[in-house]
Amino acid sequence: MSTMSEPKTQTVDVPGAVLHYDIREPEGGSGEPKLLMIGLPMGAEGFTTLAGLFADRTVVTYDPRGVGRSERTDDAKESNPVQHAEDLRRLISVLGDEPVEIFASSGGAVVGLELVARHPEQVRTLVAHEPPSAPVLPDREEALAVTTDIHATYQRDGFGPAMGKFLALTTLKGPIPSDFPERPPMDPAMFGLPTEDDGGRDDPLLGQNIVGTTHHELDFDALRAASTRIVIGAGAESEGELANRAAYAVAEQLDSQAVVFPSHHGGFVGGESGWKGEPEAFAATLHEVLAER
């Protein structure tokens, strides 16, 4: 069995932030393209288990701006997929050996699609797993309204109340009712999350990225014309949830079929997280998808 080196952490300066990224290399080298694993607001640590299941190739993970170790150097309070895609473009340029392959999860999938729309020459294959893209949904107005409301709740009342609304949204199956923002939120304590307002307003999800990511309009003309092979993934257990429905809608816009991956929205996550999926089965499907080319 192939073994992988310990991750080597490096940094790259981008406008408004310093990005931290980790490189894991297979012992003896590899002829495969570098594989980037990206999320949003998930940082590098969320891909620890999945990266270890790709010991046959070089794997790069990173913390997006404002997440984990990648502190912002500007005064901006929010980010958007265009900024993140530009950060990723700079990171890939520093890595060299283009084009790379990318597995992108959740908000990272929106960023990956934006990168491919702008710089397809950098990416050989993009696997975009459950991008939470509200504009592609039949109930887009309701989806846009509820994510705006979650952000506004965070700014007004803090983490607990906003997270209660976010959890209610992400566990909802089916179209979003127009009165959903007025419905009782879930109790974040049920998920082991704090309920109080700590006074902070820079949470990577609720403060910085939820509106920019979910509201972002993808350039489907550019994506359909891209040289990059684009594969859209959908979780087997997340059918009917917002990001899952968006995955199928994005695939339809690209005249393709979504690939079903094992488990839920975070199906690749291992035991280091309280949100464990089925990482081995997930990795097996991802290996198969990348091998098709």
Side-chain angles (χ1 to χ4, degrees), residues 74-92:
D74 59 17
D75 296 325
K77 302 300 182 183
E78 296 183 36
S79 301
N80 60 68
V82 173
Q83 285 178 311
H84 289 299
E86 176 60 18
D87 290 348
L88 200 56
R89 181 195 69 78
R90 290 171 181 267
L91 173 57
I92 293 171

Side-chain angles (χ1 to χ4, degrees), residues 107-120:
V110 177
V111 174
L113 289 164
E114 181 64 22
L115 173 69
V116 167
R118 292 169 175 267
H119 300 285

Side-chain angles (χ1 to χ4, degrees), residues 36-97:
L36 275 66
M37 297 180 177
I38 67 172
L40 188 70
M42 180 177 281
E45 64 180 9
F47 297 95
T48 301
T49 297
L50 185 63
L53 297 170
F54 282 81
D56 59 331
R57 62 197 299 171
T58 298
V59 176
V60 180
T61 57
Y62 89 120
D63 292 343
R65 65 169 58 216
V67 176
R69 302 161 297 173
S70 294
E71 297 182 356
R72 304 190 68 140
T73 58
D74 59 17
D75 296 325
K77 302 300 182 183
E78 296 183 36
S79 301
N80 60 68
V82 173
Q83 285 178 311
H84 289 299
E86 176 60 18
D87 290 348
L88 200 56
R89 181 195 69 78
R90 290 171 181 267
L91 173 57
I92 293 171
S93 295
V94 169
L95 293 172
D97 298 325

Side-chain angles (χ1 to χ4, degrees), residues 7 14 63 65 77 84 93 130 133 175 206 231 249 264 293:
V14 298
D63 292 343
R65 65 169 58 216
K77 302 300 182 183
H84 289 299
S93 295
E130 296 205 336
S133 181
L206 304 171
V231 179
H264 48 60
R293 295 188 186 136

Side-chain angles (χ1 to χ4, degrees), residues 127-131 231-239 243-248 251 257-265 282 285:
V127 181
H129 186 254
E130 296 205 336
V231 179
I232 306 299
E237 297 176 11
S238 51
E239 184 176 356
N244 183 279
R245 293 192 294 122
Y248 284 101
Q257 296 290 322
V259 174
V260 177
F261 279 75
S263 195
H264 48 60
H265 186 64
F282 195 102
T285 300

Side-chain angles (χ1 to χ4, degrees), residues 3-21:
T3 57
M4 181 176 282
S5 68
E6 289 297 314
K8 299 175 183 177
T9 301
Q10 300 185 40
T11 63
V12 57
D13 291 338
V14 298
V18 179
L19 303 182
H20 285 65
Y21 63 98

Side-chain angles (χ1 to χ4, degrees), residues 220-243:
F220 286 106
D221 288 338
L223 289 170
R224 284 188 289 265
S227 55
T228 304
R229 175 177 171 245
I230 302 172
V231 179
I232 306 299
E237 297 176 11
S238 51
E239 184 176 356
E241 296 172 5
L242 185 151

Side-chain angles (χ1 to χ4, degrees), residues 173-205:
K173 302 283 189 177
I176 300 170
S178 59
D179 67 342
F180 196 78
E182 286 73 50
R183 294 188 178 187
M186 298 185 74
D187 181 3
M190 294 171 53
F191 299 85
L193 297 171
T195 59
E196 69 280 358
D197 182 359
D198 63 3
R201 294 297 183 268
D202 58 353
D203 183 79
L205 169 63

